[in-house]
Amino acid sequence: QVQLVESGGGRVQAGGSLSVSCAASERTFSRYVMGWFRQAPGKEREFVAGINWSGGSTSYADSVKGRFTISRDNAKNTVYLRMNSLKPEDTAVYYCAADPRTTFGIGTTRSWYEYWGQGTQVTVSS
């Protein structure tokens, strides 16, 4: 069972930046595809960004492309999401997710991922 723990959420003004991290308990983390999702009140959980096992391939939702950057450090079993030029509509609980199927590509749907963290709140004020 993989445990994922997010950290780094908080409150920031519009136009500001924030980073969130996700630490995994498994040594086999380096084989996993990792994703970030978010869920705003009253809305469905949506894909934000994903990264393959090596970090050599990434995928982003159109709404965050050019503003957010996903990265990973396999030596630290950690994936990061750097968020720049934040907007009030980025306000949500951010979740990291893990897919242990190394060669299946980067999924963009909730059902693609097997393991989930508990989430961290990001609030962007106008």
Side-chain angles (χ1 to χ4, degrees):
Q1 183 73 19
V2 177
Q3 292 187 331
L4 303 173
V5 180
E6 300 96 337
S7 61
R11 180 181 294 271
V12 65
Q13 288 192 328
S17 298
L18 199 63
S19 291
V20 290
S21 303
C22 173
S25 61
E26 279 285 309
R27 293 180 182 177
T28 52
F29 169 84
S30 63
R31 303 176 190 173
Y32 296 168
V33 171
M34 299 298 296
W36 283 99
F37 286 71
R38 66 186 181 187
Q39 188 166 17
K43 294 188 176 181
E44 295 290 315
R45 192 172 300 187
E46 63 176 2
F47 173 78
V48 175
I51 189 166
N52 77 333
W53 67 274
S54 68
S57 180
T58 57
S59 178
Y60 295 93
D62 288 342
S63 59
V64 306
K65 203 169 291 184
R67 300 188 297 123
F68 290 12
T69 302
I70 188 171
S71 61
R72 67 190 296 161
D73 185 339
N74 287 341
K76 296 182 178 180
N77 287 3
T78 302
V79 62
Y80 306 94
L81 185 68
R82 176 66 175 177
M83 302 177 285
N84 295 328
S85 303
L86 282 161
K87 305 174 182 179
E89 51 264 44
D90 293 318
T91 296
V93 176
Y94 282 71
Y95 299 88
C96 72
D99 169 20
R101 302 169 300 170
T102 306
T103 60
F104 279 68
I106 300 172
T108 61
T109 61
R110 286 185 66 173
S111 60
W112 189 269
Y113 293 85
E114 184 171 348
Y115 304 108
W116 292 84
Q118 83 290 346
T120 185
Q121 177 70 46
V122 171
T123 302
V124 184
S125 57
S126 56

